[in-house]
Amino acid sequence: MSLNSSKRRLITVGVAVVIVVAFVLLGNMVRVPYVALSPGMTVNTLGDVDGKQVVQVDGAVDPNPTGHLNLTTVSVTDGLSLFDALGLWITGRGQLQPRELYFPRGTTPEQMREETKQQMVGSEQNATGAALTYLQRPTVPGVGGIAANSPAKDTLELGDILLAVDGRPLATVNAFVEEIRSRKPGDTVALTIKRGDAEQTVDVTLAARPDDANQGYLGVTATVFNADPNVKIIYNVGDIGGPSAGLMLSLAVVDRLTPGNLANGEFIAGTGTITPDGTVGRIGGITHKLAGARGDGATIFLVPAENCAEALTDVPDGLELIKVETIGGAVDALAAVRNGTDRPHCS
């Protein structure tokens, strides 16, 4: 072999090494516009977090029910490199989703954390409302959210209790919603509220709804607040955000305010948003939540009816999927589990 041939071979090998090194470096440095979804932690709403009850009910009928009613979560991993994404795609250990679905352009991580925190606060308020409404405990309508463009943003505050609209007393959230819906843009309404221990009446001029220019818009989300002086409900969910824990939190409240145990010693997990009237809504990442729950030992999972079709695409062995549409339906299904009778399943 000639000297020139040896040099050419060395140069070729060197170039190949440089290319490989550059590829590895780029693969580890280049960030892709995706996040990875995978099973997250579960939390027993009948248990403790950092020494505090996840759902604390002062004035409870049964302060220490047994068993598991676990809320479930999805882990979202951001900052993926090209190699990370390729590895997850090849192994199937995580589901890749466009990053903008979870971190919209123009929002900072701090803003997203605050948003998910506020979603959890709303979920807790709705859980309280749903549970107390189901149990026919005293409740009052109140301000659970205020939109950024709300005509009332400088007048109302979160936590205000809604007593009347134009002098007409309000007994329920639906009554408040119907009063506002009956008004036109430009109408001024007199809202009687209770803030702290003081009552006051404030005037607000309605704007036009973004989706209906002929309907009045206040930009307030009404929820149900506890009005039972003998009951106080406090949530300690830890570092968890989002709206999907509502169903399981509401069931924990029901369990503590009624005799007996909803779970009856079983390991039950579930998910679902909840509205003050007790309606259970769909959530994201259902298959990851099923996997996380089964991995922690759950044998029964409460699935929002709207998520059943997706849930059936990947059911872990040994996990029974019970379909739920309302908090009342969930309580009835758990009674059927205790009694060994038929309950609605995803099918």
Side-chain angles (χ1 to χ4, degrees), residues 92-333:
R93 289 185 289 106
Q95 178 187 10
L96 296 177
Q97 290 283 302
R99 187 178 187 276
E100 285 191 10
L101 294 177
Y102 298 86
F103 301 95
R105 288 182 183 274
T107 59
T108 66
E110 292 75 18
Q111 289 173 325
M112 290 305 302
R113 282 193 291 270
E114 181 60 25
E115 181 178 336
T116 57
K117 178 182 176 182
Q118 291 306 314
Q119 288 174 338
M120 176 57 80
V121 170
S123 182
E124 293 170 351
Q125 292 172 341
N126 287 349
T128 294
L132 296 181
T133 300
Y134 169 75
L135 295 172
Q136 298 183 330
R137 294 289 190 116
T139 60
V140 291
V143 178
I146 302 175
N149 62 343
S150 167
K153 64 182 176 65
D154 297 323
T155 306
L156 297 181
E157 296 180 3
L158 296 179
D160 285 346
I161 293 173
L162 298 165
L163 300 177
V165 175
D166 289 337
R168 282 183 280 275
L170 301 171
T172 65
V173 167
N174 287 340
F176 171 74
V177 171
E178 290 305 316
E179 285 285 353
I180 300 303
R181 282 180 177 172
S182 68
R183 307 305 202 277
K184 299 295 183 183
D187 288 351
T188 298
V189 294
L191 303 174
T192 303
I193 62 172
K194 184 177 181 180
R195 183 176 299 162
D197 294 326
E199 290 188 16
Q200 58 182 296
T201 298
V202 297
D203 292 335
V204 180
T205 300
L206 303 182
R209 284 188 62 87
D211 58 349
D212 185 351
N214 296 315
Q215 190 172 4
Y217 174 69
L218 182 62
V220 166
T221 300
T223 190
V224 175
F225 290 152
N226 176 28
D228 189 338
N230 299 312
V231 171
K232 183 178 181 181
I233 301 169
I234 302 172
Y235 298 95
N236 302 291
V237 298
D239 190 22
I240 296 174
S244 65
L247 170 63
M248 303 312 292
L249 293 175
S250 65
L251 289 175
V253 174
V254 170
D255 210 356
R256 294 185 187 281
L257 287 174
T258 54
N261 298 322
L262 291 183
N264 196 37
E266 300 282 352
F267 196 135
I268 296 166
T271 188
T273 63
I274 198 84
T275 60
D277 68 0
T279 301
V280 177
R282 69 176 293 113
I283 52 82
I286 184 67
T287 57
H288 301 294
K289 293 184 175 184
L290 297 179
R294 187 67 184 116
D296 280 356
T299 56
I300 295 170
F301 198 101
L302 304 180
V303 181
E306 295 179 56
N307 285 112
C308 272
E310 182 184 358
L312 289 171
T313 64
D314 192 5
V315 184
D317 292 339
L319 191 62
E320 176 185 353
L321 304 189
I322 294 180
K323 179 176 67 174
V324 294
E325 298 180 80
T326 65
I327 185 174
V331 173
D332 291 344

Side-chain angles (χ1 to χ4, degrees), residues 65-89:
T66 60
H68 285 255
L69 291 174
N70 282 44
L71 64 85
T72 52
T73 65
V74 176
S75 175
V76 180
T77 303
D78 191 22
L80 297 177
S81 70
L82 177 60
F83 277 0
D84 291 333
L86 286 173
L88 291 169
W89 179 70

